[in-house]
Amino acid sequence: MSWAAAAAVRSLWRLRTGALRPLSAYGRRISVRFYSLGMTLDNINRAAVDRIIRVDHAGEYGANRIYAGQMAVLGRTSVGPVIQKMWDQEKDHLKKFNELMVAFRVRPTILMPFWNVVGFALGAGTALLGKEGAMACTVAVEESIAHHYNNQIRTLMEKGPEKHEELLQVIRKFRDEELEHHDLGLEHDAQLAPAYTVLKSLIQAGCSVAIYLSERF
């Protein structure tokens, strides 16, 4: 086997095992297939996928910071295990989007440091209102995220469901889990929070702004 042929074999093996290389040993661009997803950079709608992964990564990061803030205040109370269970699922969501960011070479939003602070402050601030305040925050945020995921599902269906099936599966799964969190919030007296309707509306308005900015910057 010549040196060039051996180099080509090594390059293709690194691609198969996850070490991404956009060029072959001969300098020609090759199609990168992600075996865990069954999607390639060549057959997806890059603009849509970049936007979706960037904003979802930011959203799951923000959700993690919200639950961190809630646990800082309520972690030792009776509702602590409920919050921890939801937070653990959000950690899994963030881990998955971290993987997708690398796989599809999507840059994170430049607003990550801002969401770090704002997310924790929102979680801790609503938790200071008591269990009901924390749960009202959960209901508002998770309802917004589920609605946002539904919009993304429609977008990917329009762009070609067969090309984006694996990403669709991820988003559908996470959407369903966010709705479970929403329902848990209602079960734990979210609607008894002070000024529940006003609080929910303000949080959801903030979520809409965060989604808009994180998609674009």
Side-chain angles (χ1 to χ4, degrees), residues 36-107:
S36 63
L37 294 176
M39 298 167 63
T40 71
L41 290 178
D42 292 341
N43 70 5
I44 62 172
N45 186 299
R46 282 306 303 268
V49 170
D50 281 8
R51 187 169 61 251
I52 286 171
I53 293 177
R54 179 179 304 110
V55 69
D56 289 353
H57 174 262
E60 296 297 348
Y61 178 78
N64 270 267
R65 298 304 295 151
I66 289 171
Y67 284 118
Q70 290 182 352
M71 284 297 290
V73 176
L74 298 173
R76 296 182 180 274
T77 70
S78 61
V79 79
V82 177
I83 297 172
Q84 185 65 59
K85 179 182 177 181
M86 294 189 288
W87 189 12
D88 288 342
Q89 283 189 314
E90 298 296 349
K91 290 176 182 178
D92 290 338
H93 295 183
L94 180 59
K95 179 182 177 182
K96 184 61 178 181
F97 278 111
N98 278 332
E99 294 170 358
L100 293 175
M101 293 280 284
V102 174
F104 289 95
R105 290 172 282 184
V106 178
R107 68 163 180 81

Side-chain angles (χ1 to χ4, degrees), residues 58-75 83-84 86-88 90-91 94 112 114-128 133-145 178 181 203-204 206-207 210:
E60 296 297 348
Y61 178 78
N64 270 267
R65 298 304 295 151
I66 289 171
Y67 284 118
Q70 290 182 352
M71 284 297 290
V73 176
L74 298 173
I83 297 172
Q84 185 65 59
M86 294 189 288
W87 189 12
D88 288 342
E90 298 296 349
K91 290 176 182 178
L94 180 59
M112 291 291 282
F114 184 66
W115 302 146
N116 176 30
V117 175
V118 171
F120 188 91
L122 177 59
T126 53
L128 289 171
M135 292 298 131
C137 177
T138 294
V139 168
V141 171
E142 302 293 21
E143 187 176 288
S144 294
I145 293 175
E178 307 297 4
H181 299 174
I203 293 172
Q204 291 188 327
C207 289

